[in-house]
Amino acid sequence: PAHRHARVASVAVVDVRQRGVGLGSSTARGRLPVMLEGGPPPEPSVEEEVFGEMEGELDRFDRLLKRLPTVAVGTSSNALVVLSSIFAWFVTPTRIPAAVTVGVAGAAGKQVGEKLRNRRRAVVPAAIAEMVNKDGLKRLDRAKVARLAERYDVPPELFEEQLRGVYARFLGALVDDEEVEPSDVSKLAALRRGLGLGWKATESIHVAEAASLAGEEAPGAELPEPLSKLLWASMTLFSTSRGSASADELLSTLGLSEARARGAVNEVSAPLYRAALAQAVGRYNRTQTPLVLQTVRKALNLPEEAAQAVHQDVYDSQLAKCLPSPGDDGAADAELSDETKALLSELEGVLQIRGAAQRVHARTIPLYRSSAAALLEAPTSVGDPGGAWAALALRQQGLALPTERAKAVLQEESRRIATARLEEAARLAAAGRDDEATSALLELTGWADLVGSLVQLAGWSGEAPARDLAERYLGALSLEPGLEEAAQRLLSGTGANLASSLPLLQSMLALGTPSLKAARDDYCSRLDRLLASAQYGESERKALDAAATQLGLPEPLARKLALDAYYGWLLDLTEGFGSRSSDAKAELERSAELRACLQLEPSAVGELYSNTEIDASVLSACCDALAPGSEYEAMETMQHLERALDARPGVVAQILRTS
């Protein structure tokens, strides 16, 4: 009905006198709408509409029959037979045998009497509707409903059919309604109990409704809303039957797999659960809320993993309010205050969020990265490294970022900027603009000293000089193809003004230094043999260190070659999940062991993941290869592998959200 979808405010139109209103008019009579107190009337509920219509379908004669006792109707029917026979006796011509006319008239009277009884039996649904309208669905008395069969002289088969019809009509109206309420299932359960319908009969009604909604065509990729609601109501209701009802026939009728049906049900239940969660968090304490939510989850037939996904989404939404993304208003000054940390800690405990720290870092690291990049690029930072470091330290403290994470971000941004500046100098050299290229290199070395000073002030690498730290942190940069040769040629032709910076520049270009090619190839072969052996112990680590020293490889170059080998190993694992998923998963669990053997720092690994997104690729391949089963187990497995891989914060959450 249209009034279910249109929300129109009630107004009363009244006559009022207005004086001095209008152009040149002293009196004007108008009709002004005045809003009634209390706002618009509430829309009728589905049960009020359905059972109100059922009760209103009786005409005056039906209502009269409904009030008559069974004895009166039976007497009336018998009287019709007798009166019809007597009337036929008197009016029949004498040439027609009296017995024939009396018999025919009696049969006609009996037929009319039977129609009268059947018409009275047909008022049973209206009588049930009257009970519902008077007492409500939840108070529908099963015994009173059963007595209607005797009162209206309804045979058992017909009475069962009438009860099924009442339930089917309410079910059809419920799934056709646009709104989804948590109480919809409890209403169906109350009606089923009040009517005394068995689970098998209820199941068959739901199957028939599904067949009617689906038609002859199989459902597409997205189920229509009425069908989704029917599926949700059916599976949620049947889950309370303790095994007496099953959705198997329903799914077979719709041509849906168990997994797809469960997904459709979760899509309907999740918003309801989210609304209940918001109320529970505001009403109950940290101890009570999980128990209340568990009850709500069971009532909505929502699996634990789906409920956990709602919890995480709510937690992420709160995080987004506290910590905006870089570029948004207030992002530059956003921080985790004590009040915000207390709020998030409380929410973490109430919602039982797993990996909350990773989710917080997924918001704080981009903010810190934005600040670090701005400070590294600022011209004033080169002349005031102490002030730049103080600003970074305050930013790290304000975002409650662990030192290891802050160190990784600073190194990633430093290497990114150094690579971009070195490539720009190489482009100038390739264009024959050597003077400009040399000036660019001078600026680069001065800026590199800033990076070394920041690391020195942070105390991350002992008492080493700033220039030595710059050589270590900015060594073995990967340039674009074609620029490596131009950069090497520029370096070989530099004059005395770059002599003091030559070791730093050579460290930056160590990946392409011709004199180190043989040593690089030898070391890469040793790394390949290490990966093939799958032995990542202490003795293998010491052997790699000895080989690097023997070959004369600078430490930054050796670590870069090891990082490239680790990247290749992850690529092989990504492909391995398609053919040998169990072996690939076991190998991935050893990734921390391999990184320790190769002596890869978290900052170098973070840089690799940021530049290549290989962590997302390998975890996504693993997620696709997981055997069908519990979504909760899949979440646990993915989070375990995320920790083993030391993936970027938020990668697994994004994969699970889109998988």
Side-chain angles (χ1 to χ4, degrees):
H3 65 268
R4 272 166 45 190
H5 308 298
R7 302 181 182 272
V8 183
S10 276
V11 296
V13 181
V14 297
D15 288 341
V16 295
R17 286 189 180 276
Q18 298 181 352
R19 298 186 180 275
V21 179
L23 297 176
S25 172
S26 60
T27 304
R29 186 182 300 274
R31 298 176 64 82
L32 300 179
V34 180
M35 186 71 69
L36 292 177
E37 293 185 3
E43 293 185 1
S45 63
V46 176
E47 59 267 30
E48 289 174 342
E49 288 183 355
V50 173
F51 294 109
E53 290 174 0
M54 291 174 62
E55 187 177 1
E57 288 171 354
L58 299 182
D59 59 21
R60 184 176 301 177
F61 184 62
D62 291 329
R63 286 193 289 271
L64 175 62
L65 290 176
K66 178 175 173 292
R67 290 194 297 268
L68 287 176
T70 304
V71 174
V73 176
T75 303
S76 300
S77 301
N78 294 332
L80 281 173
V81 175
V82 174
L83 291 175
S84 299
S85 301
I86 294 174
F87 179 75
W89 176 275
F90 286 103
V91 301
T92 301
T94 55
R95 62 179 179 274
I96 300 177
V100 174
T101 57
V102 171
V104 171
K110 183 177 181 181
Q111 186 176 7
V112 173
E114 187 63 26
K115 287 183 178 180
L116 186 64
R117 281 191 293 269
N118 288 338
R119 184 162 180 176
R120 184 170 181 271
R121 290 165 180 164
V123 305
V124 167
I128 297 174
E130 184 180 10
M131 293 181 181
V132 174
N133 292 331
K134 180 181 178 182
D135 300 325
L137 266 178
K138 294 184 178 180
R139 295 184 179 180
L140 185 60
D141 192 323
R142 181 175 179 175
K144 290 182 179 179
V145 172
R147 286 197 291 269
L148 293 177
E150 179 181 356
R151 177 179 177 182
Y152 295 105
D153 190 28
V154 184
E157 296 81 3
L158 178 58
F159 189 64
E160 175 75 12
E161 183 180 346
Q162 289 175 324
L163 298 181
R164 292 165 64 100
V166 171
Y167 184 90
R169 185 165 175 178
F170 179 68
L171 175 65
L174 199 67
V175 301
D176 188 53
D177 187 45
E178 292 181 349
E179 300 293 331
V180 180
E181 300 289 344
S183 59
D184 288 346
V185 176
S186 62
K187 291 175 182 178
L188 286 173
L191 181 59
R192 186 196 70 82
R193 289 192 300 268
L195 296 177
L197 287 176
W199 280 112
K200 292 302 178 184
T202 306
E203 183 180 324
S204 65
I205 296 171
H206 282 249
V207 171
E209 180 67 20
S212 174
L213 288 175
E216 298 181 357
E217 297 183 2
E222 184 175 351
L223 293 179
E225 289 187 8
L227 207 53
S228 294
K229 188 173 182 181
L230 172 64
L231 195 61
W232 168 77
S234 302
M235 295 185 69
T236 305
L237 178 65
F238 296 167
S239 67
T240 66
S241 69
R242 298 180 181 179
S244 299
S246 168
D248 293 346
E249 187 177 353
L250 180 68
L251 301 187
S252 176
T253 301
L254 297 176
L256 297 177
S257 64
E258 175 69 25
R260 186 181 176 194
R262 171 50 58 190
V265 171
N266 291 349
E267 287 181 4
V268 178
S269 294
L272 301 176
Y273 182 76
R274 184 183 181 112
L277 187 152
Q279 295 181 3
V281 169
R283 182 178 301 176
Y284 302 101
N285 60 32
R286 186 170 184 167
T287 303
Q288 297 170 324
T289 301
L291 300 176
V292 172
L293 292 179
Q294 184 178 11
T295 302
V296 174
R297 180 178 63 79
K298 290 182 178 179
L300 292 174
N301 191 26
L302 192 68
E304 183 177 353
E305 56 269 20
Q308 187 62 221
V310 175
H311 291 188
Q312 292 170 353
D313 187 53
V314 170
Y315 188 79
D316 290 343
S317 299
Q318 187 62 47
L319 270 178
K321 293 179 180 178
C322 298
L323 297 169
S325 300
D328 293 347
D329 293 339
D333 301 323
E335 62 179 23
L336 281 173
S337 63
D338 292 340
E339 181 182 355
T340 301
K341 285 188 281 189
L343 170 64
L344 293 176
S345 177
E346 180 73 15
L347 198 59
E348 176 187 350
V350 167
L351 301 181
Q352 300 178 339
I353 300 295
R354 300 178 181 88
Q358 289 288 91
R359 294 181 175 276
V360 174
H361 292 164
R363 304 291 305 186
T364 56
I365 287 178
L367 292 172
Y368 183 77
R369 185 185 302 279
S370 177
S371 299
L375 281 168
L376 288 171
E377 295 276 18
T380 56
S381 297
V382 175
D384 185 17
W389 169 244
L392 281 175
L394 289 174
R395 190 65 173 138
Q396 176 189 345
Q397 182 181 10
L399 294 173
L401 202 62
T403 298
E404 199 61 45
R405 294 287 187 186
K407 178 182 176 182
V409 170
L410 183 61
Q411 181 171 351
E412 289 173 34
E413 288 304 304
S414 299
R415 291 178 64 85
R416 179 186 63 80
I417 295 172
T419 300
R421 295 191 176 191
L422 190 56
E423 287 177 342
E424 180 60 27
R427 289 190 185 93
L428 292 171
R433 300 157 64 181
D434 291 346
D435 292 342
E436 295 179 53
T438 302
S439 298
L441 288 182
L442 279 173
E443 291 182 9
L444 173 59
T445 55
W447 177 86
D449 288 337
L450 166 66
V451 175
S453 298
L454 293 177
V455 175
Q456 187 182 54
L457 290 169
W460 291 339
S461 299
E463 300 295 331
R467 176 57 65 89
D468 292 347
L469 293 174
E471 291 181 17
R472 177 182 173 185
Y473 277 80
L474 301 178
L477 300 177
S478 298
L479 305 187
E480 290 184 6
L483 294 179
E484 183 73 40
E485 184 178 351
Q488 292 288 348
R489 190 168 56 251
L490 174 63
L491 189 60
S492 63
T494 54
N497 53 352
L498 282 175
S500 61
S501 302
L502 196 58
L504 172 61
L505 295 173
Q506 287 175 339
S507 176
M508 290 181 177
L509 295 172
L511 274 178
T513 302
S515 61
L516 294 175
K517 184 179 186 309
R520 290 196 302 266
D521 293 343
D522 191 328
Y523 195 73
C524 287
S525 297
R526 295 172 186 264
L527 290 171
D528 290 340
R529 290 195 294 271
L530 171 71
L531 297 178
S533 69
Q535 300 297 321
Y536 313 137
E538 182 67 16
S539 60
E540 286 76 18
R541 182 189 67 79
K542 291 180 178 179
L544 285 177
D545 282 346
T549 303
Q550 178 185 356
L551 295 170
L553 287 178
E555 181 184 349
L557 178 57
R559 297 294 172 262
K560 176 60 176 176
L561 295 176
L563 188 66
D564 290 344
Y566 178 66
Y567 174 65
W569 181 77
L570 291 177
L571 280 179
D572 292 340
L573 282 186
T574 303
E575 298 174 359
F577 277 110
S579 56
R580 48 184 185 88
S581 57
S582 59
D583 294 339
K585 176 176 173 294
E587 289 184 52
L588 185 58
E589 291 175 336
R590 300 185 61 196
S591 58
E593 186 181 347
L594 174 58
R595 291 194 301 275
C597 180
L598 297 177
Q599 301 182 67
L600 298 178
E601 294 185 357
S603 56
V605 176
E607 180 186 3
L608 173 69
Y609 292 162
S610 297
N611 292 338
T612 64
E613 297 189 350
I614 186 62
D615 55 340
S617 298
V618 70
L619 288 173
S620 180
C622 176
C623 184
D624 293 340
L626 290 178
S630 168
E631 293 183 16
Y632 177 78
E633 293 177 359
M635 185 188 303
E636 289 288 303
T637 299
M638 293 300 297
Q639 290 177 343
H640 167 67
L641 294 177
E642 179 186 35
R643 291 189 293 270
L645 193 60
D646 195 20
R648 291 167 296 161
V651 169
V652 163
Q654 179 64 28
I655 291 173
L656 292 175
R657 191 178 298 116
T658 58
S659 64

